Amino acid sequence: MNKKYELIYEGKAKKIFSHDDPDKVIIEFKDDATAFNALKKAKFKGKGKLNCLISARIFELLIKENIPTHFIEIKNENKMIAHKIKVIPLEIVLRNIAYGSLCKQTTINSGTTLAKPLIDIYLKNDELNDPLLTKDRIELMNIISSKDLNFITDLTLKINNILKIFFKNIQLQLVDFKLEFGYDIKNNILLGDEISPDNCRFWDLNQKNDTIVSLDKDRFRNDLGGLIEAYSEINRRINDFI
Ligand code: TMP
């Protein structure tokens, strides 16, 4: 990256650089993958580029549906330009099907289709291992007003409706996903971060029987192999459809 762009922040899967325009940032998607709060780490050549391309297509789709997002444009292979936001330290998880931590922490059976989407909110704090929050705890910590929290949860439900239909059209079941939001310079709430197989669970609907075939980061979390093949397949299906 050109020297004039200053590294503002480095996360587990992305780097954020300054832009000539102080209201914008450059987001670089890394090839690194982590799981279980970085207890497990690996590099997958080409993952950054795939997640950048997939996220860009999904953000474009959401913008068309009037969802406010930070995405502006792709810069090159694994970099996008986005509006600068002050990230709200909450991870908003929406679940359509019970899987992952929900089944480890409750008596709900893995694979159960939920009667209505479940929203779980976690504190974005690696030191505390991203704990599950309650509305009262969010209020107590003064993270966000209840009006803004309602806005974010409503937006998450709308995003789910758009994405569920979109992914069904390309033979993918949207099991669950995690979103992050932030405030832009005008204090508008924008969808931030990424929407990719790193933070969504996708199950292949092109299976003859009921076998679960994950086309997402569970391939790494659960040592299934074939991560790049799975991400490439998601990217291929999105591009063939759009
Ligand atoms: P979970 O079942 O482990 O709680 O994950 C739910 C969804 O959230 C799943 O699509 C993966 C995504 N996720 C992240 O993007 N980042 C995280 O740190 C975690 C724990 C989950």
Side-chain angles (χ1 to χ4, degrees), residues 91 93 95 99-102 122 130 176-178 198-201 221:
E91 301 199 347
V93 169
R95 302 175 193 275
Y99 205 66
S101 69
L102 176 65
Y122 299 84
D130 296 351
D176 55 28
F177 56 88
K178 184 262 301 182
D198 262 19
N199 63 335
C200 301
R201 282 197 174 100
R221 294 188 189 98

Side-chain angles (χ1 to χ4, degrees), residues 12 36-37 91-95 99-105 120 122 126 130 175-180 193 197-202 217-218 221:
K12 285 177 283 201
F36 314 114
N37 201 12
E91 301 199 347
I92 317 292
V93 169
L94 183 142
R95 302 175 193 275
Y99 205 66
S101 69
L102 176 65
C103 302
K104 292 187 185 134
Q105 295 166 0
D120 282 333
Y122 299 84
D126 285 343
D130 296 351
V175 175
D176 55 28
F177 56 88
K178 184 262 301 182
L179 302 179
E180 294 181 15
D193 197 42
D198 262 19
N199 63 335
C200 301
R201 282 197 174 100
F202 299 117
K217 202 165 85 173
D218 274 350
R221 294 188 189 98

Side-chain angles (χ1 to χ4, degrees), residues 44 50 215 219 225-236:
F44 295 92
L50 284 164
L215 296 176
R219 302 216 69 85
L227 179 134
I228 290 295
E229 291 78 357
Y231 285 37
S232 302
E233 176 64 13
I234 302 281
N235 189 43
R236 188 190 63 75

Side-chain angles (χ1 to χ4, degrees), residues 26-214:
I26 299 167
I27 303 178
E28 180 185 314
F29 288 69
K30 304 198 289 186
D31 284 345
D32 305 64
T34 64
F36 314 114
N37 201 12
L39 280 178
K40 195 169 168 178
K41 288 186 204 170
K43 246 189 197 335
F44 295 92
K45 198 168 178 336
K47 179 178 85 83
K49 180 181 165 186
L50 284 164
N51 278 352
C52 183
L53 288 170
I54 294 168
S55 291
R57 293 289 160 267
I58 302 303
F59 281 131
E60 282 166 357
L61 167 80
L62 292 174
I63 291 166
K64 267 195 215 143
E65 300 282 343
N66 294 318
I67 302 291
T69 89
H70 70 159
F71 176 74
I72 299 174
E73 62 187 358
I74 292 252
K75 182 175 159 64
N76 59 21
E77 287 218 322
N78 66 335
K79 295 183 194 73
M80 63 171 61
I81 299 173
H83 297 286
K84 186 187 252 178
I85 54 170
K86 190 170 179 293
V87 177
I88 300 163
L90 296 175
E91 301 199 347
I92 317 292
V93 169
L94 183 142
R95 302 175 193 275
N96 291 309
I97 295 179
Y99 205 66
S101 69
L102 176 65
C103 302
K104 292 187 185 134
Q105 295 166 0
T106 69
T107 55
I108 300 163
N109 289 329
S110 203
T112 307
T113 299
L114 305 179
K116 61 179 177 122
L118 171 71
I119 293 187
D120 282 333
I121 304 181
Y122 299 84
L123 183 65
K124 185 175 161 64
N125 184 318
D126 285 343
E127 276 165 39
L128 296 176
N129 215 359
D130 296 351
L132 179 63
L133 297 176
T134 62
K135 275 207 162 154
D136 286 349
R137 286 187 183 192
I138 295 170
E139 203 180 310
L140 200 64
M141 284 187 290
N142 242 324
I143 292 179
I144 185 175
S145 68
S146 62
K147 178 174 154 275
D148 284 358
L149 185 61
N150 285 336
F151 180 81
I152 283 175
T153 50
D154 284 353
L155 211 50
T156 302
L157 290 168
K158 269 190 211 150
I159 291 167
N160 183 47
N161 287 334
I162 298 165
L163 295 187
K164 233 176 24 181
I165 295 169
F166 174 76
F167 285 114
K168 183 109 190 282
N169 278 325
I170 54 171
Q171 297 300 305
L172 293 169
Q173 184 144 43
L174 180 62
V175 175
D176 55 28
F177 56 88
K178 184 262 301 182
L179 302 179
E180 294 181 15
F181 295 87
Y183 294 100
D184 70 5
I185 36 153
K186 290 182 188 147
N187 238 18
N188 295 310
I189 293 179
L190 305 184
L191 172 65
D193 197 42
E194 67 186 290
I195 302 194
S196 75
D198 262 19
N199 63 335
C200 301
R201 282 197 174 100
F202 299 117
W203 289 352
D204 191 8
L205 288 169
N206 282 341
Q207 297 297 317
K208 290 204 180 69
N209 46 33
D210 281 346
T211 336
I212 292 172
V213 173
S214 298

